[in-house]
Amino acid sequence: MNNDHCISLGGKILKETEVKPLFSVALVTFEQRRFLNDCLDSVFMQDYSRIELIVCDDFSADFDTDEVRRYIDAHKGNNIVNVVVYQQPGNVGTCANCQKAFELSSGEYLKFFAGDDLLSDSDVLSSMAAYLKYPSNGLVFSRARGMKQNGEKTNNLYPDDYSFNLAKSCGVHRLFELYATHCWGKFFFAPSSFWRRDLLTEIGGFNLKYKYTEDWPAFLSVCERGITPLYTDEVTLFYRYGGISNNQDEQHFEQARVHYMESSAILQECALPVLREKYSWFSRLCCWYAAVSLEARCVYEIDWFRTWNFTQKLRWLLHHIPYFIVGTFLMMCGGRMYPSLKKPAVVCIIAWFILYFDIIVCPFWNNELAASLVMCFAALWAIAVFGIRLFVRICVTVSRSLSIR
């Protein structure tokens, strides 16, 4: 006698032992109602057999819970086995909204993304479930392709090829260093990430200390625990431009200010303490520079041209002289900028040419003395440049030797 129990999903009979884990898809929305139906349709087209759909809205003026629920009921397939539509009683920010969506969900696998983005193909959830079924793959990073407000797809990939391939090749120690020393989005892209529920539960969900930056603290926490995220070179999402991170409308300036400043605080509060304990001074310097860079970007995009006068700009520049010096040093370390030996060499050659051919540059000067002084200056200049380049090279070599990769 066959004791296997059977259930029906989408007209297909499956044995209970074959039932796939529940995949919770959480759409976190704010003022995105005009795009939400397209977003929902990208979930409805998924071929994964057991999907839980969560729509969690952050008190949008354009969001009607009953209307959204009616659209879902009219268009969903049998593979959507549970639906929750929820609106916050007040605006709480991205972090708290994601945390609420997490609490409302019950799936073993989790996918969070905004209500204006789109899953890229019908097999996205099935493809990611093939990775998530392994307990070691608690966090999976795929890639996203940029999309304009009108839905036109671009060729922009997130993360970019260089950053993605570097992150994919790194161990967890080096990966934490990359996350902790570069501004957000460089080596991960939250909208194209996927979670196992047990890992997100282990790190305590999303950090509610921050309002708009839900992803960075979570990813740092994962790496700090010695858990290596899996990177897969599959485009799973179309990311629509126009969110807090890239919207320049007047109404978003204050939100952007909070976002930038709390992103800077994340580096100083979540990353820097770990770097002090386990990493080199060079990594700590890069972290500090990345944090101040976010503050500088906030100033440049919001205050510099809109509200600040000359005195305020000058005061800020003088106060941040160490920041510019460190930035120059780091660019030299990265090979993006070096003081050139060509200029002092050219000056030296000209001075020698004047001396050798006894060319009179100015009748009122001692030609030999002037040329000799210029040649000495050029030589000292060249020695200083060579010393700077040698110092930078030694710093980079020592830092890399102290960092476990």
Side-chain angles (χ1 to χ4, degrees):
M1 182 177 178
N2 190 348
N3 293 323
D4 287 336
H5 298 286
C6 297
I7 62 173
S8 175
L9 288 176
K12 182 179 179 180
I13 304 299
L14 296 176
K15 291 183 179 181
E16 187 173 318
T17 54
E18 298 173 349
V19 174
K20 294 181 179 180
L22 186 64
F23 209 133
S24 293
V25 176
L27 309 182
V28 286
T29 67
F30 179 68
E31 305 295 356
Q32 296 164 330
R33 183 64 187 92
R34 66 190 185 279
F35 302 120
L36 183 57
N37 288 356
D38 291 339
C39 178
L40 288 167
D41 290 343
S42 75
V43 178
F44 298 151
M45 74 177 184
Q46 294 302 305
D47 60 12
Y48 192 78
S49 59
R50 297 187 69 227
I51 301 173
E52 177 183 56
L53 177 59
I54 311 291
V55 181
C56 195
D57 180 73
D58 194 14
F59 198 61
S60 302
D62 61 355
F63 191 87
D64 185 307
T65 303
D66 293 334
E67 178 191 2
V68 172
R69 184 63 194 239
R70 285 195 297 270
Y71 184 86
I72 292 173
D73 290 340
H75 294 85
K76 69 181 181 71
N78 292 334
N79 61 336
I80 309 293
V81 298
N82 187 40
V83 176
V84 178
V85 180
Y86 177 84
Q87 185 176 37
Q88 300 280 2
N91 184 260
V92 296
T94 308
C95 296
N97 201 36
C98 285
Q99 180 64 24
K100 184 63 178 181
F102 176 43
E103 294 168 357
L104 291 170
S105 69
S106 56
E108 184 177 340
Y109 308 152
L110 297 161
K111 170 63 182 164
F112 299 87
F113 64 106
D116 57 351
D117 298 335
L118 306 174
L119 295 176
S120 61
D121 211 340
S122 60
D123 63 349
V124 167
L125 299 185
S126 297
S127 177
M128 294 301 106
Y131 299 115
L132 293 168
K133 69 180 180 180
Y134 299 104
S136 59
N137 295 335
L139 175 60
V140 177
F141 285 124
S142 60
R143 303 180 78 179
R145 188 176 297 278
M147 179 173 64
K148 297 180 181 179
Q149 283 277 300
N150 62 7
E152 180 185 347
K153 311 301 188 301
T154 72
N155 293 323
N156 301 328
L157 288 175
Y158 302 94
D160 61 75
D161 289 338
Y162 171 80
S163 302
F164 179 85
N165 291 327
L166 176 57
K168 186 177 181 180
S169 66
C170 290
V172 66
H173 185 87
R174 173 63 170 146
L175 205 54
F176 182 92
E177 185 180 31
L178 292 177
Y179 292 175
T181 56
H182 294 78
C183 297
W184 27 248
K186 179 68 174 175
F187 294 101
F188 59 80
F189 195 66
S192 57
S193 62
F194 296 79
W195 291 87
R196 282 182 60 94
R197 184 178 204 86
D198 50 6
L199 179 57
L200 190 53
T201 301
E202 179 184 335
I203 67 171
F206 299 101
N207 192 333
L208 299 183
K209 180 178 181 179
Y210 308 106
K211 187 169 185 179
Y212 296 119
T213 314
E214 83 290 351
D215 47 3
W216 210 350
F219 300 153
L220 285 169
S221 182
V222 168
C223 290
E224 186 182 356
R225 283 169 165 76
I227 301 169
T228 307
L230 175 71
Y231 279 80
T232 174
D233 194 9
E234 298 178 40
V235 175
T236 61
L237 187 103
F238 294 124
Y239 172 70
R240 195 182 304 268
Y241 298 132
I244 291 173
S245 300
N246 50 49
N247 197 315
Q248 297 301 303
D249 293 342
E250 184 72 25
Q251 62 180 342
H252 289 272
F253 277 131
E254 287 311 309
Q255 287 182 339
R257 186 192 302 278
V258 174
H259 185 42
Y260 288 145
M261 297 309 291
E262 73 178 16
S263 295
S264 176
I266 286 166
L267 282 175
Q268 298 177 61
E269 297 167 359
C270 300
L272 200 53
V274 179
L275 293 177
R276 287 196 183 105
E277 182 180 349
K278 301 178 180 180
Y279 291 80
S280 69
W281 65 268
F282 186 76
S283 297
R284 298 193 293 273
L285 185 67
C286 291
C287 180
W288 174 84
Y289 181 76
V292 180
S293 293
L294 287 166
E295 297 174 10
R297 178 173 174 176
C298 176
V299 166
Y300 183 77
E301 292 186 356
I302 300 174
D303 299 315
W304 194 265
F305 297 105
R306 295 174 61 248
T307 60
W308 279 14
N309 58 34
F310 175 79
T311 303
Q312 290 172 304
K313 294 176 181 178
L314 182 61
R315 187 184 300 118
W316 187 90
L317 289 171
L318 292 174
H319 182 70
H320 286 79
I321 287 176
Y323 165 72
F324 294 109
I325 293 174
V326 171
T328 302
F329 171 71
L330 293 178
M331 281 191 286
M332 288 191 292
C333 291
R336 288 177 290 167
M337 183 180 78
Y338 277 115
S340 175
L341 284 167
K342 292 180 180 178
K343 292 180 180 178
V346 169
V347 172
C348 226
I349 291 170
I350 292 173
W352 175 86
F353 190 81
I354 291 171
L355 276 173
Y356 186 81
F357 292 99
D358 198 21
I359 298 173
I360 299 176
V361 178
C362 179
F364 304 106
W365 293 353
N366 183 326
N367 204 57
E368 185 176 343
L369 177 62
S372 298
L373 289 174
V374 170
M375 185 176 288
C376 288
F377 172 77
L380 291 173
W381 183 5
I383 292 170
V385 168
F386 180 78
I388 291 172
R389 296 180 69 159
L390 180 62
F391 173 73
V392 168
R393 181 71 65 182
I394 291 172
C395 287
V396 173
T397 303
V398 171
S399 173
R400 286 176 177 172
S401 67
L402 293 176
S403 179
I404 301 171
R405 297 185 181 271

